[in-house]
Amino acid sequence: MRRGRSDRVGLHIPPFEAFLLLGGPVLFLVLFFVVPFLTMASDSVWTDKGELTGDFYAKAVADVFYWRVLLATFELGVWVTVCTALIGYPLAYYITFYLRDPLLRRLIYIVIVTPLFTSNVVRAFAWMLVLGRQGVVNKSLILTGIADSPLLLMNTRFAMVVGLIYILLPIFVLTVASILQGINRSLLEAARDLGAGAATTFWKVTFPLSLPGVLAGSILVFTLSVSAYVTPAVMSGGRHLVMPMVIFQQYLVSFDYHVGAVLSIMLLVMTLLLLGVNFYFLGRRGKVA
Amino acid sequence: MKAETAVGDPRIADGFIRIVGLVKRFGGVPALKGVSLSIRRGEFLSILGPSGCGKTTLLRSIAGFVEPTSGEIWIDGRNVNKDPPNHRPVNTVFQNYALFPHMTVAQNIAFGPRRRGVPKSEIAGQIDEVLAMVSMESFGHRYPRELSGGQQQRIALARAIINKPKVLLLDEPLGALDLKLRKRMQVELKRLHERLGITFVYVTHDQEEALVMSDRIAVMNVGEIVQLGTGEDIYRQPSSRYVADFIGEANLIDCILDGAGTIRLGPSSPPLPYKLPRSSAMNGHAAGQAKATLMVRPEDIRLGEGGERNSVVVQAKLRDKVFVGQSWRLFAVLESGQEIVVQPGFSPSAEKISRGDEMKIWWPQDRSQVLGE
């Protein structure tokens, strides 16, 4: 029976030990997340002379350029999320339901996880070798006669999307696979038993039950791709701006950390807003168990 | 004992479900070793055995979830070996209920009819009907997680029977319920079976459950059906030591069988009045001494000298006695030193007797049996 119970079956930890256990992570978060965040937030409303002002916001919000970059950033995020889901879901499904051999499954997991151990910078530069004018793709296209001259692949939005999918795919696959793994196989048998074919079983049972995983994976992929700096910077060759690149410029090129802070908060608020709207509509579509 | 003699040849028998020589190996390990079984139309048949005996594999083969290594399965005159589960005229009630957690009770029950293309307007009426059958009216809008185990069980039943399958397969459906609820559900299942007229194939490891509900019971052990018959047949005439021990409580007394076909409790004991059954287990021991097992149920043993024709009388010494409500339960030791449990029902002599007393006990010969292994 999987009913909600409030029984106290958990490990009981005395207050002092609990304080020690929780203290570390809390301290870490306060020092490296809360403090920098508050510093940044105060930079966005206080001048160097210590006066409270809305000027920085007014300046940034009134500038159409920033809104365009923000739109481009979210566009990139949506593309990356949709493509990652389309590639990642079948992969996760295959690993979970078709790889019977535990050894082979472990091997596939290792292959999926290994890229996560490599630096983003290295991985982005590797793509230059693949997509560049003299890259593997262009060379093969010309050699086989499919194209007469090298295609422009690097330094495009396409390259940015490809680079981010490559980096974020493992995260999506692992999230969805863990949810698929948790689906009781007898539910799928019950569906077959009640007359559903393989496709109907997938759309009526497997897929709806895996939605929490798809949702969690998509949120991770979306937030990570709209906040990514290195990959978009390298893959676009600086030709297509996204918000993190503009924020980077404000802080480290223009040294205008007031506007940098405002833009950071703009990105944060808009991302949260977008996810909130998304959740609202998903929530109305049906409660997911 | 050979399975065929008890089961009959299903190729000849006119069974509604016919299972012929079914073998299933999981990576070389046999789960079913050539099971043949013929199930009648409208019958309540239980497949009984301990865990790992292959009973669930047999049920899952009928449902179509297990592809047999060899052998055939026929349902209502059709060989279903090649049919996927969704094309078989059977429905299953799963051990863990397997209700779809993302659907309401009504949506769960409607799943089967929707797949068969029953119009929505008709489905609503059918749902009400089956919910009434399992006494779960007004639960249609609930989600499975909001129901207790027993309620989920009823919904799982309703979800299966709405499809009016030719065969309903039940895989230990009461296993997760508490004793009281289990007993009530046994009676309800039996009534439902009578009312629907559907063939029930019921897998369980609980011998009492099988006895209460079934028309016939197939007892399984390590991938084979070792006995098939009505509950009474199996209880009264178990074909082997294994069956006797598994169904009900049995005294299994080791005896000595000599070359003349006489059975004694010990080398110097008087011969017991049994005729040798022509069981294969003893054929190899024509000469000299061999072992045999005498089976007698505790409730068939009485205190005293007997007196009826064919009564078997032996000497015993009382070691312990306990009161179990409807009778006394006596633990005695035979002359050979073997223990024997006696539960003589209401008996004044059982009340009087005390620890250490010597006594005579007896049982009617036709209530006992000499068994092979």
Side-chain angles (χ1 to χ4, degrees):
Chain A
M1 271 174 283
R2 278 185 289 166
R3 306 183 65 205
R5 291 272 163 87
S6 53
D7 297 0
R8 297 195 54 180
V9 292
L11 182 67
H12 181 74
I13 303 171
F16 182 66
E17 275 87 341
F19 174 77
L20 284 184
L21 280 171
L22 281 176
V26 168
L27 191 72
F28 183 85
L29 276 178
V30 167
L31 275 182
F32 297 104
F33 178 71
V34 178
V35 170
F37 181 78
L38 290 178
T39 312
M40 191 190 75
S42 71
D43 280 347
S44 74
V45 285
W46 265 289
T47 61
D48 293 339
K49 289 171 195 142
E51 292 155 356
L52 195 63
T53 174
D55 284 0
F56 304 127
Y57 276 96
K59 197 170 142 197
V61 169
D63 198 331
V64 184
F65 169 75
Y66 295 131
W67 287 107
R68 280 208 196 110
V69 174
L70 194 65
L71 188 69
T73 310
F74 286 158
E75 244 175 62
L76 178 75
V78 170
W79 272 107
V80 171
T81 309
V82 169
C83 294
T84 307
L86 287 179
I87 300 167
Y89 193 95
L91 189 57
Y93 187 89
Y94 176 79
I95 294 169
T96 320
F97 290 107
Y98 286 91
L99 284 187
R100 292 267 167 79
D101 186 357
L103 204 74
L104 196 63
R105 189 187 292 186
R106 198 167 301 165
L107 199 75
I108 296 275
Y109 272 124
I110 291 171
V111 169
I112 288 173
V113 174
T114 311
L116 292 177
F117 296 133
T118 326
S119 148
N120 272 1
V121 183
V122 174
R123 289 197 282 168
F125 278 111
W127 275 105
M128 293 175 85
L129 300 179
V130 177
L131 297 178
R133 281 181 69 84
Q134 301 293 316
V136 179
V137 173
N138 271 325
K139 271 198 173 158
S140 357
L141 284 177
I142 289 166
L143 276 176
T144 51
I146 294 169
D148 323 317
S149 57
L151 302 175
L152 181 64
L153 298 172
M154 220 25 226
N155 306 341
T156 59
R157 289 184 193 283
F158 167 76
M160 295 162 82
V161 172
V162 168
L164 282 170
I165 291 173
Y166 168 65
I167 284 168
L168 298 172
L169 191 64
I171 293 167
F172 186 86
V173 171
L174 293 179
T175 313
V176 172
S178 78
I179 292 284
L180 286 175
Q181 196 71 52
I183 294 177
N184 188 341
R185 300 303 162 96
S186 65
L187 293 177
L188 311 184
E189 289 186 347
R192 297 303 301 271
D193 188 73
L194 292 165
T200 314
T201 300
F202 175 77
W203 288 113
K204 295 283 178 189
V205 181
T206 317
F207 186 66
L209 288 176
S210 68
L211 274 179
V214 175
L215 200 64
S218 302
I219 289 169
L220 281 173
V221 170
F222 184 79
T223 50
L224 288 173
S225 56
V226 297
S227 61
Y229 171 74
V230 171
T231 311
V234 175
M235 298 304 284
S236 70
R239 275 170 220 211
H240 301 280
L241 286 175
V242 287
M243 220 47 181
M245 288 157 75
V246 174
I247 293 166
F248 181 86
Q249 286 172 359
Q250 289 298 328
Y251 272 101
L252 292 151
V253 182
S254 325
F255 296 110
D256 189 344
Y257 49 88
H258 296 295
V259 173
V262 168
L263 294 178
S264 302
I265 287 177
M266 254 171 91
L267 178 61
L268 176 70
V269 169
M270 293 308 284
T271 306
L272 289 177
L273 210 68
L274 213 63
L275 291 177
V277 169
N278 209 1
F279 265 120
Y280 177 74
F281 281 110
L282 277 175
R284 277 187 4 161
R285 256 198 64 228
K287 278 170 263 172
V288 177
Chain B
M1 163 133 334
K2 290 262 169 60
E4 289 92 304
T5 51
V7 174
D9 190 345
R11 275 159 289 203
I12 304 162
D14 137 60
F16 187 59
I17 303 174
R18 286 185 299 147
I19 294 157
V20 188
L22 205 67
V23 174
K24 176 63 190 178
R25 284 190 211 94
F26 290 108
V29 183
L32 296 174
K33 303 174 186 170
V35 169
S36 292
L37 176 65
S38 176
I39 302 169
R40 298 175 192 137
R41 187 190 294 266
E43 182 174 30
F44 195 129
L45 182 114
S46 289
I47 302 171
L48 176 66
S51 62
C53 72
K55 57 187 191 299
T56 296
T57 306
L58 180 55
L59 193 83
R60 289 170 58 80
S61 306
I62 302 173
F65 301 129
V66 167
E67 199 182 326
T69 309
S70 67
E72 289 170 21
I73 299 170
W74 296 72
I75 299 173
D76 199 12
R78 181 184 159 81
N79 185 321
V80 296
N81 274 45
K82 292 270 182 295
D83 294 352
N86 46 321
H87 290 151
R88 295 192 184 195
V90 304
N91 282 118
T92 308
V93 177
F94 292 85
Q95 191 169 11
N96 55 11
Y97 322 132
L99 296 177
F100 304 124
H102 59 301
M103 298 183 196
T104 62
V105 164
Q107 287 168 335
N108 262 283
I109 298 173
F111 194 91
R114 292 277 306 270
R115 304 285 84 75
R116 281 181 286 113
V118 178
K120 271 190 177 174
S121 50
E122 281 176 42
I123 294 178
Q126 290 181 11
I127 291 175
D128 291 342
E129 203 178 308
V130 290
L131 279 177
M133 258 187 236
V134 296
S135 323
M136 290 287 285
E137 304 96 329
S138 81
F139 278 84
H141 60 282
R142 302 269 199 104
Y143 280 89
R145 63 175 173 276
E146 299 166 336
L147 306 179
S148 71
Q151 290 171 330
Q152 290 188 31
Q153 180 57 72
R154 286 160 193 271
I155 300 308
L157 256 172
R159 187 177 67 172
I161 61 178
I162 196 173
N163 304 298
K164 302 182 183 75
K166 288 179 177 171
V167 182
L168 187 67
L169 306 172
L170 302 105
D171 185 8
E172 307 225 16
L174 310 183
L177 306 181
D178 62 59
L179 186 67
K180 223 170 169 180
L181 191 56
R182 204 152 68 213
K183 296 224 170 187
R184 211 172 82 204
M185 285 300 290
Q186 287 171 8
V187 177
E188 280 187 37
L189 270 176
K190 184 75 188 149
R191 277 195 202 131
L192 203 61
H193 170 251
E194 276 157 20
R195 181 167 165 191
L196 294 171
I198 296 173
T199 308
F200 277 37
V201 180
Y202 190 99
V203 158
T204 181
H205 65 269
D206 183 335
Q207 46 106 4
E208 192 198 320
E209 209 165 275
L211 287 172
V212 168
M213 293 190 287
S214 327
D215 295 320
R216 285 193 304 162
I217 300 171
V219 185
M220 285 191 75
N221 188 24
V222 287
E224 283 174 314
I225 293 179
V226 289
Q227 192 169 6
L228 175 72
T230 64
E232 203 185 341
D233 282 350
I234 290 178
Y235 190 83
R236 290 283 164 230
Q237 278 128 36
S239 63
S240 64
R241 201 186 161 113
Y242 170 81
V243 176
D245 203 24
F246 196 77
I247 304 221
E249 196 185 2
N251 288 300
L252 296 167
I253 306 162
D254 291 328
C255 299
I256 292 168
L257 171 69
D258 67 20
T262 325
I263 289 165
R264 301 165 200 272
L265 289 178
S268 54
S269 311
L272 297 175
Y274 285 95
K275 277 177 229 139
L276 236 200
R278 273 176 224 91
S279 170
S280 55
M282 272 163 259
N283 285 347
H285 306 280
Q289 290 188 338
K291 276 184 184 167
T293 303
L294 182 62
M295 190 284 302
V296 56
R297 306 258 178 214
E299 71 272 17
D300 289 330
I301 307 176
R302 300 280 176 273
L303 302 187
E305 301 273 351
E308 283 178 35
R309 277 198 309 130
N310 292 330
S311 58
V312 180
V313 188
V314 296
Q315 185 71 31
K317 186 177 172 184
L318 187 69
R319 219 187 59 184
D320 240 323
K321 70 173 195 176
V322 290
F323 185 62
V324 291
Q326 70 268 50
S327 74
W328 285 93
R329 193 170 159 82
L330 311 178
F331 299 91
V333 183
L334 298 175
E335 283 174 316
S336 60
Q338 298 190 68
E339 286 184 32
I340 186 165
V341 181
V342 182
Q343 200 165 323
F346 176 75
S347 146
S349 44
E351 213 143 326
K352 271 178 254 155
I353 198 164
S354 57
R355 216 178 281 185
D357 285 356
E358 288 287 338
M359 59 182 178
K360 285 237 187 303
I361 55 174
W362 67 277
W363 57 85
Q365 195 207 36
D366 59 359
R367 285 299 177 92
S368 61
Q369 228 180 334
V370 181
L371 300 171
E373 281 311 299

